[in-house]
Amino acid sequence: LRGRIVIRASAPEGWDEAKRPQPELPVGDTLPQAFLHNSQRMGSAIAAADDISGVLNYGTYLIGVLLFADFIRDNPRYVKGGRIGVMIPASAGFGVVAMGVLLAGCS
């Protein structure tokens, strides 16, 4: 293995492909609509995982997205011209923040 980088990755604890619902085409006219539908469909299946955010199932992900979207709507002082800036490390939690921004109607 001289000169090669070897990375060993494993699935997060609790990941079970046999129990995951089968993939479907997105339902909805917008990305947030498709996300909301898919989150309800996927339920307790794992959505994302990493060392920073831990293991997030779709239900937990959905709650985070809804709470962050509500926070943005309740605090318009952070929104300028329909845009909001967010700094977050590269993590599974980024998806929660990004989808919350879109669900709040911002970019």
Side-chain angles (χ1 to χ4, degrees), residues 2-73:
R2 180 176 284 163
R4 293 185 185 181
I5 297 173
V6 177
I7 299 174
R8 297 189 193 279
S10 61
E13 188 175 325
W15 189 285
D16 186 354
E17 280 298 313
K19 293 181 181 177
R20 289 177 69 81
Q22 291 297 311
E24 285 184 4
L25 289 173
V27 175
D29 295 329
T30 65
L31 186 58
Q33 287 174 353
F35 168 77
L36 293 172
H37 176 267
N38 197 53
S39 293
Q40 292 169 346
R41 187 178 72 80
M42 296 297 283
S44 62
I46 294 176
D50 66 15
D51 291 337
I52 295 173
S53 302
V55 176
L56 302 173
N57 67 37
Y58 280 91
T60 303
Y61 220 79
L62 177 59
I63 291 168
V65 167
L66 295 173
L67 288 173
F68 193 63
D70 283 346
F71 173 82
I72 293 169
R73 286 188 203 106

Side-chain angles (χ1 to χ4, degrees), residues 74-97:
D74 292 344
N75 293 280
R77 66 184 177 274
Y78 296 125
V79 180
K80 303 293 181 202
R83 295 194 170 115
I84 186 169
V86 179
M87 291 182 65
I88 185 170
S91 69
F94 170 76
V96 172
V97 172

